[in-house]
Structures are given as structure tokens and as C-alpha cells.
Amino acid sequence: MLASRADPAVLGAVLARPRTLELLLVTVALAAVVTAACLVVGVGTAWLLERTDLRGRRAWAVLAVLPLAVPSYVMAYTWVSALPGTAGFGGAALVLTLSCSPYVVLPVAASLRGLDPAPEEAARSLGLGPGAVALRVVLPQVRPAAASGGLLVAVYVLSDFGAVAIMRQETLTRSIATGLGSSFDRTPAVVLSLLLVALTVLVVTGESRSRAGTRYARLGPGSARTARPARLGRAGAPAAAALGLVAAAGLGLPLASIVGWLVVGRSGGLDGERLLAALGGSVGLAVGGAVLTTLAALPVGVLLARRGGRLARLLEAAVFTGHGVPSVVVALSLVFLTVRYLPAVYLTAPVVVVAYAVLFLPMAVGAVRASVAQSAPVLEDVARSLGRRPEQVLREVTVPLAAPGVAAGAALVLLSGMKELTATLMLHPTGTTTLALALWDETATRSYAAAAPYAAAVVLVSALPALLLGQHGRRRAGPPAGTAPGPSGGAA
């Protein structure tokens, strides 16, 4: 609406500025580097955890998902405060890779647990080595999960503001936020917002086209067997060292920095009442957002997994575009709509929950879509042939089969709601605070020691759903590869 009121000539002039092209190239490069790095780290980590005899796999699995509990802006602060030389493009790419790699680890690990090992055994019987089996048999089957995780990473990087701002790296989102906050002329910010939305649509469309015409569901009769783990031998120590390096960078340094600030600020006392109020606000808003987002994601994810075509692609693009729009733009849009059309709900909790649903719906949709796509459609056909209505098939067959993916999506939304800052800052009800808001208030005045208890609380509270998610997924998927062979299954 703001763009429609602007002079087209002015819009074109802003779009043609060299500065706009520079911001676009930097943003694209950052998204590409982080996505590629997350795919390498995430797929490699998932394979080590699910298909090898690596020692301590359960502990490594917990460490692999715990970076989700550390907000990217907190991780950026801890890195730049400890190593000021990391500020810039490289530091931003490093911090975002550490923060986002669990988005790839979780769906790929779940996909590997659900794969029938029969195709791999058939490939080995035909003379293929372990590397050829992994590249030609395993990777093509986990490609939907990897693509879904990579898409989440790319869209997250495109919309991130806090981490790049702290790492002092100029991108489209940072320029948009700066323009909205420092100038009465919002035309440049509107143009950059439209450019960012178009970029997100291109990313979503490219990922969708990469999955066009492919099916990955297991078709054979009987239950799937667990895979025999690959023996690492002498490669076990380097593999464990690589996982340890990632854990140290993504968890060790941020936690050490937070503990250091807690020690520095212990003489100043702790406002326990304010901390509990902030904790209650974070949990309440995040749970509300997770419930609404999961309910909205179920029909969308099922539709995308079971129906192709242009309508499904347009729906998918619309869903992921909401995640690509910066939080500040989504929040300003909701402020405009509520002030003008729904003043009764202006600055209320339901508006914050709606903002979370807009921002985080792709997380739930991606998880539901990947999980539904891996369940055999023939089971739904059988249910329909037995007289079940569509809603009964959805409730009794599709949703139970996709339950791990639904739980993963809900947990991801819950985690993101706990950490969300920008939209909450602009939309929260008067008198309500959250851990992120309290942390922001303290860091805005450089009271880093006073901010440390809220940072620690954010990490601890966000870690709980991450741990429950990992345990739930493993219970639903069965024992790790090779630990408890099941009955023989059919061929894929």
C-alpha cells in the first residue's frame, strides 16, 4: 500500500542506485555462503549421528541441536565481544552458520532414520563402495529434507537483522530497519522490502522446482528395518573432533561469555520479580504462536506434499515469503492494520501471536511437508477404500504418520518465539515483557552484566524444547541404526 502511493519515478531511482545493487549482492552472497555451509555441516552431522558407529552419538545429537537455544544476535554479541576481529561478512557468515545448521541436522537426521536400508544393501551387493552408496543411493533419498532445511536457512539469513547488525555487516534488512527508524521518507525502505520479498520468492521457487516430479516414499510391504551402521575405524577420532569443534564454536564460546558476564555482574544483585515476569511473558507468547502456527501448517503441509501444480507452488511461495519479510516490516504492517481497521486489538497478545504465525509458518510447513512426503500415499488410499472420509484419513492416517515432523515443526516455532525480538518489541502489550525484551533493554544501555541473567534464561528455556524434540523424534523413529534390527521389510 505504501509503494502504491509513491512516485514510480522515485521507486525506479532508488532501485537503480549502485548502493541498492551492492546491498543485494552482499545479501545474496551471505545467504548462499551460509546455506552451503549449513548443508555441509548439517548433512555430515546427521549422517555421522544416524548411519555410523560413532561413539557417544546420543550426546552428540543433543549438542548438535542445542545451538537453536542461542539466539543469533546473542551468539553474534558473544563472538564479537570475545574476538572483535570477526566483525564483518566472515563473522556474520560464521555466526549464522552456527545458529542455523540445526535446521538442516533435524530434518535430515529424521529422514535418515526413516529410510529403508534395502536399497543400500542392493547397491552394495552390486559392487558399489560406501562412498558411492552414500552419493548415489542415500543422498538422493534425503534430498527433500536437506532442501527443506536449506530453504529455512536461506530465508532466515535473508530476513535476519540482529546478527548482521551486531557484526556490523550491511545487508538489505539492516538498511531497511535503519531507513524506517531514521527517516520520514520511507520510500527507500519500501523499495528494499519489495526487493527482499522478490528475492525470497525466487529462492522458494527454485527449491520447489528442484523437487518437481520426484517421489521418495517407501513403497514395499512390511515394516522398515534399521540400517547397519558404517564402521568409522580410524576416522572416528577426526569425526568426533569435527563435531567437537562445531559444538565449541556454537555453544562453548557463547556460554562461556554469558557465564563471564554473570560473574562480573553478580555484585549488582538480581531482580527476581522482573526475571519471572519476563519468563512468563516469553513462554505465554511462544506457546500461543506454536499452537496457532502448527494448526495452520497442517493443511498446508499436507497439500504441498500430496498435491502439485501451480496452485500449490503459489501457496508455498506465499507462505515462505512471509518468513522472508523482515520482522520489522511485518510488525509495521500489523501496526498499520490494527490502528486503522482493528483498534480494539492494537498492542495485544493475539497480534503478537499472529505475527509469530506469519514469521514462523514456513518452519512448521517445511517439517510437515517433508514428513508427509515420506509416508506412503498407498496407506491413505487403503483408508479411503475402507470408507474413511477425507477428514478421518487425515486424522487417523496422515497426521499419525507425520507426527514426528509435526512435533519438530511445533518445537522449532516454539524455540523461535522464545528468541524473537523485533516484532515483539513493536507489538507487545503495554506492561508485558519477555526475556528478549529485557535483554534488549539492558544491552541498549551497554549494561552487559545486567543483561546476562536474561541471556542465560533465554538459553535455558529454549534448550528444554530442543531436548524434548530430540528425544521425541528418536522414540517415534525407533532405536539408532544397527542397535536393534527389526523384522525384514520389503524393497523400496
Side-chain angles (χ1 to χ4, degrees):
M1 296 178 68
L2 291 173
S4 65
R5 299 175 180 176
D7 185 351
V10 176
L11 293 177
V14 174
L15 193 61
R17 291 186 312 181
R19 178 62 175 164
T20 302
L21 178 60
E22 180 184 349
L23 290 171
L24 177 63
L25 292 178
V26 170
T27 303
V28 171
L30 184 62
V33 169
V34 173
T35 302
C38 284
L39 286 173
V40 172
V41 173
V43 174
T45 300
W47 184 77
L48 287 173
L49 297 178
E50 299 297 333
R51 289 304 179 94
T52 71
D53 62 349
L54 181 72
R55 291 186 177 182
R57 281 180 294 174
R58 290 185 179 276
W60 288 121
V62 173
L63 294 175
V65 300
L66 277 183
L68 284 174
V70 183
S72 59
Y73 54 86
V74 172
M75 190 174 292
Y77 164 70
T78 58
W79 267 87
V80 80
S81 61
L83 301 169
T86 57
F89 185 91
L94 173 63
V95 165
L96 288 170
T97 299
L98 294 172
S99 295
C100 297
S101 59
Y103 292 143
V104 179
V105 174
L106 284 171
V108 173
S111 178
L112 285 172
R113 284 195 297 271
L115 290 183
D116 193 319
E120 300 168 52
E121 295 169 354
R124 282 193 289 268
S125 70
L126 294 175
L128 294 183
V133 171
L135 291 175
R136 299 173 61 179
V137 180
V138 178
L139 283 181
Q141 294 185 81
V142 301
R143 195 181 72 176
S148 177
L151 178 60
L152 286 178
V153 173
V155 175
Y156 183 94
V157 175
L158 290 177
S159 63
D160 179 77
F161 165 71
V164 295
I166 292 175
M167 299 305 288
R168 297 189 286 279
Q169 177 57 54
E170 196 72 21
T171 61
L172 284 173
T173 53
R174 189 181 180 193
S175 185
I176 292 169
T178 303
L180 289 174
S182 61
S183 175
F184 289 104
D185 182 11
R186 295 179 175 176
T187 302
V190 170
V191 172
L192 296 182
S193 297
L194 293 175
L195 191 60
L196 193 58
V197 170
L199 189 59
T200 303
V201 171
L202 286 177
V203 171
V204 173
T205 303
E207 192 272 343
S208 177
R209 288 185 179 278
S210 71
R211 292 182 287 102
T214 56
R215 296 183 62 181
Y216 299 91
R218 178 177 173 276
L219 300 176
S223 59
R225 292 176 291 118
T226 54
R228 186 178 60 187
R231 295 185 181 278
L232 291 177
R234 294 181 179 178
L243 293 181
L245 181 62
V246 174
L251 286 173
L253 190 146
L255 295 181
S257 180
I258 291 174
V259 171
W261 282 114
L262 283 173
V263 173
V264 170
R266 63 181 178 180
S267 59
L270 174 65
D271 188 345
E273 185 177 349
R274 188 188 179 204
L275 180 61
L276 288 177
L279 176 62
S282 292
V283 172
L285 293 175
V287 169
V291 171
L292 177 63
T293 306
T294 303
L295 291 176
L298 268 176
V300 178
V302 173
L303 177 65
L304 295 179
R306 290 291 187 249
R307 298 285 188 272
R310 180 172 299 180
L311 177 61
R313 289 196 295 271
L314 289 176
L315 178 61
E316 186 175 30
V319 169
F320 280 89
T321 297
H323 190 59
V325 177
S327 300
V328 64
V329 177
V330 174
L332 281 175
S333 301
L334 289 174
V335 168
F336 172 79
L337 291 174
T338 52
V339 168
R340 185 158 185 172
Y341 300 107
L342 298 169
V345 298
Y346 175 62
L347 295 184
T348 59
V351 179
V352 181
V353 171
V354 171
Y356 288 178
V358 174
L359 292 170
F360 306 134
L361 184 60
M363 295 181 178
V365 169
V368 172
R369 181 188 62 191
S371 188
V372 172
Q374 283 203 319
S375 62
V378 67
L379 298 178
E380 300 169 10
D381 296 337
V382 170
R384 281 189 286 268
S385 70
L386 295 174
R388 293 293 191 273
R389 295 189 297 275
E391 62 272 17
Q392 290 177 305
V393 174
L394 179 66
R395 185 178 64 252
E396 298 174 4
V397 180
T398 306
V399 172
L401 289 174
V406 176
L412 286 175
V413 174
L414 185 65
L415 287 171
S416 300
M418 289 283 189
K419 300 181 295 183
E420 209 287 328
L421 171 64
T422 309
T424 311
L425 185 65
M426 300 182 64
L427 298 171
H428 73 280
T430 302
T432 298
T433 187
T434 67
L435 293 173
L437 293 180
L439 177 65
W440 178 260
D441 290 341
E442 300 296 348
T443 55
T445 58
R446 297 183 183 274
S447 303
Y448 297 126
Y454 301 104
V458 170
V459 173
L460 290 175
V461 172
S462 300
L464 291 177
L467 292 172
L468 292 175
L469 169 63
Q471 294 178 356
H472 176 74
R474 288 184 173 279
R475 283 198 301 269
R476 296 303 300 260
T483 58
S488 177

